[in-house]
Amino acid sequence: MDLKSIQNFFKRRHDATDKEKAEFSAQLEAAHDNIITMEALERDFDSMDKAKRKALYEKLEKEATKYPMAVARHDELFNKPFLSLRAKMEYFRGVKRDENGKILRSKEWYADRKALLLTKRADSEARIKNIDEELAGIAKELGE
Amino acid sequence: MASALFNSFKRDIMNGGLDLDTDTIKAQLHTSTFAQNIDTMTKRSDLTNEASGTGYTAGGASLANKAVTVDNTNDRGVFDSDDLSWSSASITARYVVLYKSRGGASSADELIGSWDMGSDIVSTAATFAVAVNANGWLLAS
């Protein structure tokens, strides 16, 4: 079952017969069974070596190719299958979001971020020094 | 039209002209008639066919919670952010373009890339939201 089928069903859901609704529900459940559950992922992730993690990620990524690079949504129902898959894939790189798609941060993340910003600040000061030196050299070449 | 990075971005990221997680990065929506040219488009003023409508301001919205991280499982660097949304909006758009905003003229804003959402997305007096892909906005491998 692909995203288009789900969209098509929701577009005409008010006109669907009970039989069609039952068939759609069965297809949705079957599709869900093919996707690794978040619970299983959390349970098994720590015990996986890098090769196994990569293989599992590739499986998820194959599933994700059904979706475009970025998906716009204005319908809660439309978006849910995508978010579920995304949550699983993002688990591999330690990303967690709230229900509105906002990335959740830990104290460790803020500490790492602070260290990075301080480094960037020092780098910027060093760059300005290098730029000033190069500009002085250019001014000399130009006879200014 | 496929999603792609502008060639000028590839240069800018190498020479330090762009810092994805500390610069102001904005997302602008475009209609299905937008025709990306990764060779000739370098600044925001080069773009055409920006979307318009109730709830949308020209120039788009800033990305929040930008993050550049490492993904050791897949040996990648990843650029990511919060999802985007425009509330109470009546918008039709197909493409998202990211750029570095300098807060002034559009001719100064460096382009990053454009993302094809697959088809026209329409919101009518509802939230228009863009969910970032599971692999982030972009990755380097």
Side-chain angles (χ1 to χ4, degrees), chain A residues 17-52:
Chain A
T17 63
D18 286 346
K19 190 183 170 206
E20 285 173 322
K21 283 178 187 171
E23 280 173 2
F24 176 78
S25 180
Q27 281 178 31
L28 203 59
E29 279 187 27
H32 180 75
D33 287 345
N34 290 331
I35 298 173
I36 303 136
T37 64
M38 194 70 195
E39 292 74 21
L41 188 62
E42 285 177 347
R43 188 185 60 233
D44 299 337
F45 187 81
D46 288 342
S47 60
M48 286 180 215
D49 60 20
K50 187 167 176 170
K52 277 186 182 167

Side-chain angles (χ1 to χ4, degrees), chain B residues 12-80:
Chain B
D12 292 342
I13 201 73
M14 286 185 189
N15 69 15
L18 242 154
D19 186 334
L20 287 170
D21 63 356
T22 45
D23 287 341
T24 300
I25 307 296
K26 294 183 91 170
Q28 187 168 288
L29 299 175
H30 287 258
T31 67
S32 57
T33 48
F34 168 64
Q36 175 202 60
N37 186 322
I38 62 170
D39 298 342
T40 60
M41 292 177 168
T42 62
K43 297 288 169 61
R44 186 160 66 96
S45 52
D46 297 327
L47 301 175
T48 55
N49 305 105
E50 183 177 5
S52 61
T54 306
Y56 180 81
T57 306
S62 295
L63 297 191
N65 258 329
K66 301 182 304 296
V68 175
T69 54
V70 66
D71 171 3
N72 284 327
T73 296
N74 298 293
D75 307 320
R76 295 166 176 171
V78 182
F79 174 57
D80 207 346

Side-chain angles (χ1 to χ4, degrees), chain A residues 50 57 69 73 86 120, chain B residues 19 21 115 129 132-133 135:
Chain A
K50 187 167 176 170
Y57 192 88
M69 180 65 193
R73 73 185 195 272
R86 181 172 69 164
K120 280 191 180 186
Chain B
D19 186 334
D21 63 356
W115 284 260
V132 183
N133 186 275
N135 279 325

Side-chain angles (χ1 to χ4, degrees), chain B residues 40-134:
Chain B
T40 60
M41 292 177 168
T42 62
K43 297 288 169 61
R44 186 160 66 96
S45 52
D46 297 327
L47 301 175
T48 55
N49 305 105
E50 183 177 5
S52 61
T54 306
Y56 180 81
T57 306
S62 295
L63 297 191
N65 258 329
K66 301 182 304 296
V68 175
T69 54
V70 66
D71 171 3
N72 284 327
T73 296
N74 298 293
D75 307 320
R76 295 166 176 171
V78 182
F79 174 57
D80 207 346
S81 78
D82 288 356
D83 288 348
L84 288 159
S85 67
W86 287 264
S87 58
S88 306
S90 295
I91 303 170
T92 298
R94 173 163 177 168
Y95 300 99
V96 181
V97 175
L98 293 191
Y99 66 93
K100 170 178 173 173
S101 172
R102 291 180 177 269
S106 60
S107 56
D109 295 343
E110 294 93 337
L111 299 178
I112 296 173
S114 76
W115 284 260
D116 184 353
M117 294 185 282
S119 61
D120 263 345
I121 306 297
V122 182
S123 70
T124 307
T127 298
F128 187 104
V130 176
V132 183
N133 186 275

